[in-house]
Amino acid sequence: VCGEPTDIVKQTVQAALDMEYPDFKVYVLNDGKGRKVPNWPEINKEVEKMGAIAITRDHNIGAKAGNINNALRITKAPFITVFDADHIPYKNFLLETVPYFMDEKMALVQTPQYYKNKDYTYLTTAAWEQQELFFGPICRGKNNMNSTFWCGTNAVVRRQALEEIGGVPENNIAEDFLASLFMHQNGWNSVYVPKILAEGLAPHNLQNYVTQQFRWARGSSELMFKYNPIFTRKLSFWQKLQYLYSSSYYLNGFIVLIDMLVPIVVLLTGTIPVADATSNFIIFFLPFIFSTVYLLMASTENTITFRAIQLSMSSSFIFIQAVGQTLFGVKPSFKVTSKEAEVGNYLKFAIPHLLYVVLGVSSIAVAISRSGLTPSVVTNAVWIFFNIIMSWGFIRVAYPWKLIPTHISNLFFSISL
């Protein structure tokens, strides 16, 4: 807990207390005092009335990882389960997860992160569809390779496995991901249980979504560049491959950027990026693009949606910033994702997307005035409009467009249906 609304914390605590299991205690790790959050004394008072035990620090060193490590030092249970402040567990959570620890080498049992507010807005729906893809076929695939990693909440962890790696790593803002790597490196097992056993909240607005995505991208890129899973000893081949796959995902930001810039460069300069584009290139390109789409649909069991892809591609600038900060050694800061249903103007996060719209349309106009509607101009113009549609994911959720007359907003948003 770190400054979340008291009512949300109380709901989670009550649900945790109501879990069905013979012997367990509920602790509220309240870091609000360290961050000077006004409601931290109120939270401690309320949860202790309910029967939970509040653990509070005078500082915020190590952020979430430090908060957990502090609690590990003053508790003794052989297994711990961690819930973010907004993730409400079902009564059978422990009954469904703890039995897996009959395997003496089991370090981690992870369950899905489900967003109960997934139908609230376009953003929460798209964010859930991204999660559904990850916690669906992707996590089930990782499970077959003993490569399930800790996702920070809705999981049970063996204390011994954490203590062996020196506790939760405090030098990475994706502390759960790095902890999983170290535990796997020490020969521990993990398992993914594909049952929804807790309900949380998706980011309500673009600022919260950006905070979440940047934290994941920054932590993952640090793991990739600083620890390089391929050269990490004592991991199986499949574990190395899965950690590399997960951490390198955020390099897609650079691929999207190149894809966005190429048609603009072609239209403004007249340079043809591919020689012999009318014959040999098509022979290779068409099978490639169709096989890519087929594999994407097949590997995701046809669960991937346009919204999820649009939001992912819109996030490319976040990914680029996160990877760039890692490469240049910029010190990261841990920011808590707000659980308040706040609305407002977040257009600052969509500035790159708005600039691309202006630059793309301008380059089309320049090319038409210079060459007319040649096949090259039409092809690259279509390419640019496709990228604009994908960029619209951020633009659409960056501002409360309902303040604009309905017929105008509908005209703009119809492009991304």
Side-chain angles (χ1 to χ4, degrees):
V1 173
C2 191
E4 291 82 0
T6 304
D7 288 344
I8 288 179
V9 176
K10 287 175 64 177
Q11 289 179 43
T12 304
V13 170
Q14 189 60 60
L17 289 167
D18 290 342
M19 288 189 297
E20 299 170 344
Y21 199 75
D23 184 23
F24 68 95
K25 294 180 180 179
V26 175
Y27 297 89
V28 177
L29 314 189
N30 188 355
D31 250 10
K33 184 178 181 181
R35 285 182 177 260
K36 299 180 180 178
V37 177
N39 71 335
W40 76 264
E42 177 189 358
I43 287 178
N44 282 5
K45 181 180 179 181
E46 291 294 325
V47 301
E48 287 179 346
K49 282 183 184 177
M50 298 168 66
I53 303 167
I55 298 178
T56 306
R57 302 191 294 166
D58 292 328
H59 56 78
N60 192 237
I61 297 173
K64 181 179 179 179
N67 196 6
I68 296 174
N69 287 336
N70 178 63
L72 285 173
R73 284 189 287 268
I74 59 180
T75 58
K76 297 180 179 179
F79 304 102
I80 64 167
T81 181
V82 178
F83 297 105
D84 285 346
D86 61 306
H87 279 72
I88 299 175
Y90 292 174
K91 287 187 176 182
N92 62 336
F93 182 91
L94 294 175
L95 295 176
E96 293 282 353
T97 53
V98 175
Y100 287 92
F101 290 98
M102 291 294 289
D103 175 359
E104 294 183 355
K105 295 301 294 180
M106 185 63 66
L108 167 71
V109 179
Q110 178 67 56
T111 71
Q113 291 185 27
Y114 173 75
Y115 293 153
K116 63 181 179 181
N117 63 334
K118 61 185 178 67
D119 297 323
Y120 184 66
T121 64
Y122 179 91
L123 177 61
T124 59
T125 301
W128 160 243
E129 288 170 347
Q130 289 179 321
Q131 291 288 85
E132 187 178 30
L133 174 61
F134 176 77
F135 285 107
I138 292 177
C139 277
R140 290 203 302 272
K142 289 181 180 295
N143 200 33
N144 293 332
M145 304 174 190
N146 192 25
S147 300
T148 298
F149 59 80
W150 190 12
C151 298
T153 185
N154 306 355
V156 187
V157 186
R158 188 186 293 267
R159 175 186 291 270
Q160 181 185 350
L162 272 181
E163 290 178 343
E164 280 188 8
I165 64 171
V168 186
E170 298 183 19
N171 59 343
N172 187 296
I173 58 176
E175 69 290 324
D176 42 16
F177 192 25
L178 187 57
S180 304
L181 176 72
F182 292 159
M183 289 189 290
H184 279 136
Q185 191 176 6
N186 280 1
W188 291 97
N189 299 329
S190 63
V191 68
Y192 173 65
V193 180
K195 297 180 182 178
I196 295 174
L197 297 173
E199 296 182 355
L201 296 173
H204 287 94
N205 57 51
L206 188 58
Q207 178 170 321
N208 293 337
Y209 179 79
V210 168
T211 298
Q212 179 195 74
Q213 294 296 308
F214 180 84
R215 185 170 68 245
W216 293 349
R218 179 65 197 266
S220 296
S221 58
E222 283 187 3
L223 185 146
M224 177 176 57
F225 291 117
K226 291 185 178 181
Y227 300 95
N228 200 325
I230 291 296
F231 298 106
T232 300
R233 298 177 59 190
K234 298 182 181 179
L235 291 181
S236 71
F237 170 79
W238 294 112
Q239 286 175 331
K240 291 181 178 183
L241 198 64
Q242 284 300 311
Y243 274 105
L244 180 65
Y245 160 73
S246 295
S247 59
S248 64
Y249 164 77
Y250 297 97
L251 293 177
N252 284 333
F254 294 97
I255 297 173
V256 173
L257 179 62
I258 293 171
D259 183 70
M260 294 174 73
L261 293 179
V262 165
I264 290 177
V265 172
V266 171
L267 291 180
L268 292 179
T269 66
T271 302
I272 304 299
V274 180
D276 197 14
T278 58
S279 56
N280 291 337
F281 175 71
I282 296 299
I283 293 175
F284 293 104
F285 177 76
L286 288 180
F288 162 75
I289 195 64
F290 280 113
S291 62
T292 298
V293 172
Y294 171 75
L295 287 172
L296 180 64
M297 299 304 295
S299 62
T300 62
E301 300 174 346
N302 296 320
T303 59
I304 195 165
T305 66
F306 173 78
R307 277 185 296 255
I309 296 175
Q310 187 185 49
L311 200 59
S312 295
M313 291 187 67
S314 293
S315 302
S316 59
F317 296 102
I318 307 172
F319 301 163
I320 292 170
Q321 181 184 1
V323 174
Q325 287 192 10
T326 299
L327 293 175
F328 287 102
V330 178
K331 187 177 180 180
S333 61
F334 188 97
K335 295 182 180 179
V336 179
T337 305
S338 172
K339 304 304 183 293
E340 301 269 14
E342 302 157 331
V343 295
N345 183 347
Y346 302 104
L347 279 174
K348 63 180 180 180
F349 298 112
I351 289 176
H353 310 78
L354 292 168
L355 289 176
Y356 183 79
V357 173
V358 173
L359 184 59
V361 173
S362 299
S363 64
I364 293 172
V366 169
I368 291 175
S369 64
R370 182 183 62 229
S371 309
L373 288 173
T374 64
S376 176
V377 170
V378 172
T379 299
N380 285 282
V382 170
W383 192 350
I384 287 173
F385 278 118
F386 171 80
N387 288 326
I388 289 175
I389 291 173
M390 290 303 172
S391 297
W392 209 259
F394 260 40
I395 298 172
R396 140 172 225 158
V397 299
Y399 186 80
W401 298 104
K402 61 184 179 181
L403 300 178
I404 296 176
T406 303
H407 65 281
I408 297 178
S409 61
N410 287 342
L411 176 65
F412 278 100
F413 292 145
S414 62
I415 194 172
S416 59
L417 292 177

